Amino acid sequence: MSADPRLLLADLLRTALASVAPDHAGVSITLERPKQASHGDFSTNLALQLAKPLRRSPRDLAALLMAELPASMLVAKVEIAGAGFINFTLATAAKTAVVGTVLAQGARFGRGADTGVKVLLEFVSANPTGPLHVGHGRGAAYGASLAAVMDFAGHAVSREYYVNDAGRQMDILALSTWLRYLALFGIEVPFPPNAYQGAYVVDMAGEMRSAHEARFAKCTAADVLAGVTDVAADKEAHLDGLIANAKRLLGQDYLWIHDFALTEQLGDCREDLEGFGVAFDTWFSEKSLFDTGLVARAVAELEKRGHIYVQDGAKWFRSSSFGDEKDRVVQRENGLFTYFASDIAYHLNKYERGFDRVIDIWGADHHGYIPRVRGAIAALGLPPEKLEVALVQFAVLYRNGQKAAMSTRSGEFVTLRDLRTDVGNDACRFFYVLRKSDQHLDFDLDLATSQSNENPVYYIQYAHARVCSVLAQWGGVARDLLDADAAQLASERELGLCARLAAFPEAVQSAAADYAPHQIAFYLKDLAGEFHSWYNAERMLVEDEAQMMARLALAAAVRQTLANGLALLGVSAPSSM
RNA sequence: GCGCCUGUAGCUCAGUGGAUAGAGCACUGGCCUCCGAAGCCAGGGGCCGCUGGUUCGAUUCCAGCCAGGCGCGCCA
């Protein structure tokens, strides 16, 4: 017999079932916590499920099951209700035992047993071509919270950021920086409209001048523009022409600028994320996939397996044979691999590292990408079901009731850093995960800043601070609360709080299984609400010593659970505010 | 056109094959000589987009329609 009421009840029901309907002994028994207190602590629809196969009325079946149910000290009452539900009311001692459990386990309360499942969680992975904006913030908050939740649920989680350091976007950034730098020396090349406009590019140019003076300014504007397509004719070709000239004119120095810009932006990004409480175990370089030959190997492997054909000089992956709507180019006519090719290699690498589950968190705009990546995995002979893609809808920022633009290239964006400064990390992290990730999120900056005291995060933190305050006034030793007699807890609110605490480990498991950290946020809101309600109804610092200790122990258990939950969301649990 | 997401209270959103569908905001009225009023208590407010199907039971699952958002490059 288990001490966990849920498992205990399942055992009891299974025993009863074996005698009532031995043929159906294998049926899965679900026990849920009823929404209504009058329906007891746990409820099962077992009789309703079996009514049809056994050709008996649900209520009759429920009565039979109830009659065969072994007695238990932990069960106070069993009732048949409604259409045929069997409702269980636990003995008070079984309900209040959780207080001691929480206090004894402390920060570990709610943590699931080690599952041994190795999970790779890749998220953010924004191009290091400029500051993170509020859209990236959501992916960061969601990914970090999900990683924490899955880790807490018992999985071995690796957090990874894929650095797109090999593509054209990085070349555009390097070019942009160089052009700004040249301008500092009076070499005025018209700045392309589709280059990176942001002030941070000018800042980097300034740093280059400080450190290297005129080292990279040994050419004229005419050199830079030599043979370049007119911007009015084709602005993308114009950009590519400038990049080609930059590479030719600068030689090895081009790589220096490229790497400088990359290091600066990636460092900025990393610092920003760390400030946001978002940490990674690995920063995985796209470029390394080319350097180690993995991209070529991945494409060769597809070719060997007969999934590649050549058309118009390019190599195409026959992804349409693997569920994609059409075939995709992996190697262009000019010999360069596409982004898709390096992504195939990246996923091959992820699989080769031996994870049980590979989770990609992508912006919802990438959803069309899923079939081709999954298809490539299948084509490589790997199990595609190991890959799971969690799509995060974009966060749309509203300011003065209007959408705020968020294009990195135009330079007109609201950065994550600005948002964090205005709103604060705690409210930001909480706000981001308050919505289901696949829902559009309207982030109202005016509301979040001017009326931040209305943010639900404060409601939860306030509950935590209140407990801290009461415990401070009590002034005793926290350890003594472990010896409190929980049987002193008898009111409906107190028992309700105990049930809520007992549900925390289940909330963690559910949030992990559904990839839904917002469930933790809602759990915490409920827990804080029930605490505030109790706090206003009953005093803790009462004359009766035993009662006071029991109530303080419950309060301390609430505080611990709030802290554990907030930690999963990356939100602080202040002792005063 | 095709694909994905969404439609629940005035607004922003949870939720569930099951019992009387919830919260916050907003609105109305109460509660600080009393552990923190960033709190609590009470009240109004709903064809859970529409139609059909599966089911003992559908707001939930399936199909079709209506409405909104996003995505559909030899870009990344």
Side-chain angles (χ1 to χ4, degrees):
Chain A
M1 287 294 170
S2 165
D4 181 341
R6 187 183 223 113
L7 297 177
L8 166 77
L9 294 176
D11 281 345
L12 298 181
L13 282 167
R14 202 164 291 289
T15 303
L17 188 59
S19 113
V20 172
D23 294 347
H24 293 83
V27 75
S28 78
I29 294 173
T30 58
L31 282 156
E32 63 174 22
R33 296 180 183 273
K35 282 171 280 193
Q36 258 181 274
S38 64
H39 293 151
D41 297 302
F42 285 96
S43 172
T44 183
N45 63 352
L46 187 60
L48 290 143
Q49 281 184 311
L50 292 175
K52 184 145 198 198
L54 292 177
R55 296 166 172 238
R56 303 199 60 140
S57 88
R59 286 192 72 102
D60 286 352
L61 259 178
L64 287 174
L65 286 167
M66 208 174 115
E68 294 298 323
L69 215 53
S72 168
M73 293 289 289
L74 298 182
V75 180
K77 191 167 66 174
V78 185
E79 286 180 311
I80 299 171
F85 295 97
I86 303 173
N87 295 338
F88 298 89
T89 302
L90 298 178
T92 303
K95 297 192 214 185
T96 56
V98 68
V99 172
T101 304
V102 176
L103 296 181
Q105 296 186 352
R108 285 180 11 262
F109 174 65
R111 180 173 278 283
D114 214 335
T115 62
V117 175
K118 286 178 66 187
V119 179
L120 178 65
L121 201 55
E122 181 220 324
F123 57 106
V124 187
S125 302
N127 281 344
T129 52
L132 296 170
H133 57 62
V134 294
H136 299 126
R138 187 176 191 190
Y142 173 71
S145 298
L146 178 59
V149 166
M150 293 186 78
D151 187 283
F152 204 62
H155 304 315
V157 180
S158 261
R159 299 152 175 88
E160 185 156 295
Y161 187 118
Y162 183 51
V163 183
N164 295 112
D165 52 3
R168 177 168 177 263
Q169 296 305 319
M170 274 309 303
D171 282 324
I172 297 174
L173 180 69
L175 172 74
S176 304
T177 308
W178 187 50
L179 292 180
R180 292 300 194 199
Y181 167 87
L182 290 179
L184 296 175
F185 295 89
I187 303 167
E188 296 281 357
V189 178
F191 200 78
N194 47 347
Y196 289 102
Q197 307 283 337
Y200 61 92
V201 179
V202 180
D203 293 342
M204 286 196 294
E207 285 174 42
M208 279 170 58
R209 182 175 62 174
S210 301
H212 295 269
E213 297 181 355
R215 172 180 163 186
F216 309 110
K218 293 165 185 161
C219 62
T220 65
D223 293 336
V224 179
L225 287 163
V228 173
T229 308
D230 191 80
V231 65
D234 183 341
K235 60 182 184 179
E236 295 301 329
H238 176 71
L239 212 50
D240 288 332
L242 290 174
I243 290 167
N245 279 353
K247 287 179 176 174
R248 186 171 46 78
L249 292 164
L250 286 160
Q252 283 300 311
D253 276 349
Y254 177 82
L255 286 180
W256 189 92
I257 295 174
H258 181 282
D259 290 351
F260 167 73
L262 171 68
T263 305
E264 283 291 305
Q265 291 312 312
L266 202 56
D268 178 75
C269 176
R270 184 180 197 143
E271 201 176 85
D272 199 8
L273 288 168
E274 275 174 13
F276 198 35
V278 177
F280 291 90
D281 301 298
T282 319
W283 295 72
F284 195 98
S285 159
E286 178 189 9
K287 189 164 169 291
S288 75
L289 293 169
F290 291 96
D291 294 346
T292 59
L294 190 61
V295 178
R297 201 184 100 204
V299 172
E301 181 65 24
L302 288 174
E303 207 158 7
K304 197 180 88 185
R305 289 168 177 267
H307 305 309
I308 297 281
Y309 63 91
V310 176
Q311 186 181 306
D312 303 329
K315 283 187 181 174
W316 295 70
F317 165 49
R318 206 182 302 278
S319 53
S320 60
S321 301
F322 296 89
D324 198 7
E325 57 190 15
K326 62 178 196 175
D327 297 339
R328 310 287 173 175
V329 171
V330 291
Q331 192 170 14
R332 287 191 283 262
E333 194 177 356
N334 61 12
L336 294 178
F337 290 106
T338 60
Y339 174 85
F340 179 42
S342 53
D343 227 18
I344 294 172
Y346 182 35
H347 283 86
L348 174 59
N349 171 279
K350 286 181 175 181
Y351 272 68
E352 287 181 341
R353 278 186 277 163
F355 292 100
D356 300 301
R357 266 199 260 173
V358 173
I359 303 173
D360 292 352
I361 297 176
W362 291 347
D365 55 328
H366 283 65
H367 84 264
Y369 220 74
I370 298 172
R372 76 189 75 165
V373 171
R374 206 181 286 276
I377 288 166
L380 287 167
L382 302 168
E385 66 278 3
K386 270 192 190 179
L387 172 70
E388 296 184 62
V389 181
L391 295 178
V392 178
Q393 292 288 343
F394 281 132
V396 181
L397 198 77
Y398 284 84
R399 191 162 38 188
N400 302 324
Q402 290 191 320
K403 276 189 183 181
M406 273 192 314
S407 157
T408 312
R409 279 212 222 173
S410 71
E412 294 171 19
F413 49 81
V414 177
T415 63
L416 174 60
R417 194 172 265 125
D418 289 343
L419 188 71
R420 292 203 289 117
T421 306
D422 289 348
V423 180
N425 281 327
D426 286 341
C428 262
R429 287 288 301 262
F430 196 81
F431 220 97
Y432 271 132
V433 297
L434 202 49
R435 293 279 165 278
K436 273 191 297 194
S437 57
D438 58 3
Q439 295 267 13
H440 296 269
L441 171 65
D442 292 339
F443 206 125
D444 188 331
L445 190 57
D446 300 319
L447 184 82
T449 54
S450 68
Q451 300 181 319
S452 59
N453 58 334
E454 287 175 12
N455 194 301
V457 70
Y458 294 110
Y459 183 77
I460 297 165
Q461 290 181 317
Y462 186 57
H464 184 271
R466 264 185 157 174
V467 178
C468 291
S469 176
V470 174
L471 290 176
Q473 286 177 50
W474 165 56
V477 181
R479 197 189 319 269
D480 293 343
L481 295 175
L482 278 165
D483 302 323
D485 176 18
Q488 295 286 327
L489 301 171
S491 74
E492 206 170 294
R493 282 196 175 86
E494 287 164 344
L495 296 180
L497 263 177
C498 288
R500 182 70 65 183
L501 292 175
F504 180 61
E506 298 160 22
V508 171
Q509 291 299 324
S510 171
D514 297 346
Y515 299 168
H518 77 277
Q519 291 178 10
I520 299 298
F522 280 89
Y523 170 84
L524 293 173
K525 276 170 68 175
D526 289 342
L527 175 59
E530 285 180 43
F531 170 76
H532 284 309
S533 188
W534 176 53
Y535 179 93
N536 276 276
E538 296 177 72
R539 284 184 65 79
M540 297 175 209
L541 301 175
V542 291
E543 292 293 321
D544 184 326
E545 174 83 7
Q547 192 161 63
M548 178 184 78
M549 290 301 277
R551 289 181 178 174
L552 288 174
L554 175 58
V558 169
R559 176 179 70 167
Q560 183 69 60
T561 306
L562 288 173
N564 292 3
L566 287 172
L568 296 178
L569 304 182
V571 177
S572 69
S575 53
S576 69
M577 49 193 293

